[in-house]
Amino acid sequence: MTTSLVTGGAGFLGSHLCERLLREGHRVICVDNLITGNTRNIAHLRDNPEFKHIEHDVTISFQIDEPVDNVLNFASPASPIDYLELPIQTLKVGSLGTHNTLGLAMHKGSRYLLASTSEVYGDPLVHPQPESYWGNVNPVGPRGVYDEAKRFGEAMVMAYHRAHGLDTRIVRIFNTYGPRMRPRDGRVVPAFIHQALANEPLTVFGDGTQTRSFCFVDDLVEGIWRLLNSDTHEPMNIGNPTEMTILEFAEAVIDLTGSSSELLFKQLPTDDPKIRQPDIGRARAELGWEPSVPLAEGLKTTIDYFRAQLDTSGSG
Ligand code: NAD
Ligand code: UDP
């Protein structure tokens, strides 16, 4: 049996990944210290004998007493609110956490996949962003703690690949959304849905003309699965190229929730990227992958999830 270790497996993306790997017949070991994740995200997996959660901080070196075929490193605070609140932990998990998990993969002879991010492109001067673009990142700005941790992580993964021949993959994930995001994690998708369902104003940062390209979680997980099973060691963008302004996104959420919310304009955060769209030519060519879930459909599923959460928490 194939065993996959997923760090950050109790988070939003990690929990979907654990689910997919179990469905593919893997044994799954989730290592997560629950700093931004929650055992609720993996509650439905707990009774599966092939699933195990170890509560541990991956910045502290650890051992696993069984064979491990794949290490998928997803541990990191990921929303701007989280990584601005946890700047040192974010830098440590991207550097020490990546180093420790690479060491584990070396020791076990595992394949290794790093969850990187479109943030490595910073506020991009090339549009859309191909993997060959080196980015425009402010290392000393507030977002630098996340961007540079991921850039360091990528450099470390490539060094292990080149120096030790480790079998590595790097996925650059573009804004992904879906069920199990935290309603108050500050990212635009949960923020707007939460506000729309409460008929509160949607907080648009800046003038809302900045763009993002949103990918539904199932499409992302499919891309990661294909990347894991490919031979590509170079970074791979996985994201949905359908780009829109934050204002257009606010309208879509208001429409789909049937909300009476208005817009409330707030200050644009420092170094907030003005544009972002993945060039997915490499994923198309090498993985035969492209996203298939339209925004309206993915958003509907996500809105249903948030509605159900509000109902069970009794606050909505
Ligand atoms: P998340 O916060 O829901 O998940 C991150 C998980 O990592 C949490 O469960 C958290 O408890 C765990 N974690 C953090 N530090 C840890 C540590 N030191 N030791 C053990 N566990 C730790 O966020 P997410 O959106 O699911 O992001 C998962 C990964 O994907 C992150 O690495 C993130 O940078 C990357 N990513 C996500 C997106 C996106 O759009 N969701 C975009 C780009 C990259
Ligand atoms: N944003 C917004 N209102 C919010 C949260 C975010 O207008 O309540 C904007 C934010 O300024 C950014 C975009 O939405 O331009 C996406 O933000 P998010 O934090 O989701 O992701 P990232 O900036 O990392 O792409």
Side-chain angles (χ1 to χ4, degrees):
M1 175 178 273
T2 305
T3 299
S4 292
L5 183 144
V6 181
T7 75
F12 159 51
L13 295 182
S15 63
H16 286 275
L17 194 59
C18 289
E19 218 172 85
R20 172 67 184 260
L21 293 165
L22 286 167
R23 248 196 352 259
E24 297 290 345
H26 291 204
R27 173 168 167 68
V28 175
I29 304 169
C30 154
V31 181
D32 196 307
N33 66 350
L34 306 176
I35 193 169
T36 59
N38 198 300
T39 49
R40 270 197 308 272
N41 292 333
I42 46 172
H44 59 301
L45 307 177
R46 300 297 302 245
D47 290 340
N48 188 328
E50 300 309 338
F51 179 78
K52 173 157 103 181
H53 170 217
I54 300 171
E55 192 170 333
H56 180 76
D57 177 346
V58 297
T59 65
I60 299 159
S61 119
F62 61 102
Q63 288 175 357
I64 299 289
D65 295 331
E66 58 181 298
V68 176
D69 302 284
N70 303 305
V71 173
L72 300 103
N73 184 19
F74 277 67
S76 173
S79 91
I81 283 192
D82 288 341
Y83 61 70
L84 296 179
E85 234 168 57
L86 303 164
I88 316 259
Q89 288 94 327
T90 301
L91 281 158
K92 283 175 74 177
V93 76
S95 53
L96 305 179
T98 301
H99 186 218
N100 286 335
T101 50
L102 283 163
L104 177 79
M106 279 297 296
H107 181 66
K108 297 283 182 185
S110 326
R111 183 168 286 184
Y112 186 94
L113 185 144
L114 173 70
S116 185
T117 168
S118 55
E119 285 282 323
V120 300
Y121 302 122
D123 191 7
L125 306 175
V126 170
H127 195 69
Q129 294 81 55
E131 290 87 348
S132 55
Y133 178 48
W134 293 352
N136 179 37
V137 169
N138 174 4
V140 294
R143 292 174 89 104
V145 299
Y146 182 66
D147 304 2
E148 295 297 0
K150 292 290 183 182
R151 289 168 68 98
F152 176 89
E154 287 197 8
M156 188 72 130
V157 167
M158 289 311 291
Y160 267 71
H161 173 65
R162 294 192 182 110
H164 292 312
L166 192 70
D167 186 14
T168 56
R169 311 281 183 278
I170 296 173
V171 56
R172 289 186 179 151
I173 302 169
F174 283 67
N175 298 66
T176 299
Y177 68 96
R180 301 198 200 122
M181 293 187 99
R182 278 175 12 244
R184 289 182 187 77
D185 87 356
R187 288 184 271 195
V188 71
V189 177
F192 282 5
I193 294 179
H194 185 73
Q195 290 159 348
L197 290 177
N199 289 313
E200 286 166 8
L202 269 53
T203 49
V204 174
F205 298 165
D207 61 7
T209 56
Q210 71 273 30
T211 69
R212 292 295 185 274
S213 308
F214 298 101
C215 183
F216 187 61
V217 61
D218 291 358
D219 279 334
L220 177 87
V221 169
E222 177 63 28
I224 290 171
W225 173 249
R226 290 188 191 201
L227 176 62
L228 183 67
N229 291 301
S230 76
D231 291 322
T232 305
H233 304 295
E234 295 297 312
M236 180 76 71
N237 286 343
I238 299 286
N240 188 322
T242 309
E243 184 186 13
M244 66 186 65
T245 66
I246 293 304
L247 278 178
E248 287 166 342
F249 181 66
E251 291 307 327
V253 171
I254 288 175
D255 252 24
L256 287 164
T257 49
S259 169
S260 58
S261 292
E262 307 205 323
L263 303 184
L264 176 66
F265 289 88
K266 292 201 158 184
Q267 200 183 346
L268 190 69
T270 309
D271 297 335
D272 197 283
K274 284 180 271 308
I275 45 175
R276 184 180 290 155
Q277 182 189 31
D279 177 331
I280 59 164
R282 182 176 285 175
R284 279 200 176 102
E286 294 185 27
L287 309 179
W289 176 88
E290 60 181 12
S292 67
V293 182
L295 184 76
E297 190 184 318
L299 267 185
K300 221 181 138 298
T301 306
T302 312
I303 290 165
D304 288 347
Y305 168 82
F306 277 89
R307 252 200 202 108
Q309 293 291 106
L310 280 174
D311 288 349
T312 50
S313 72
S315 58

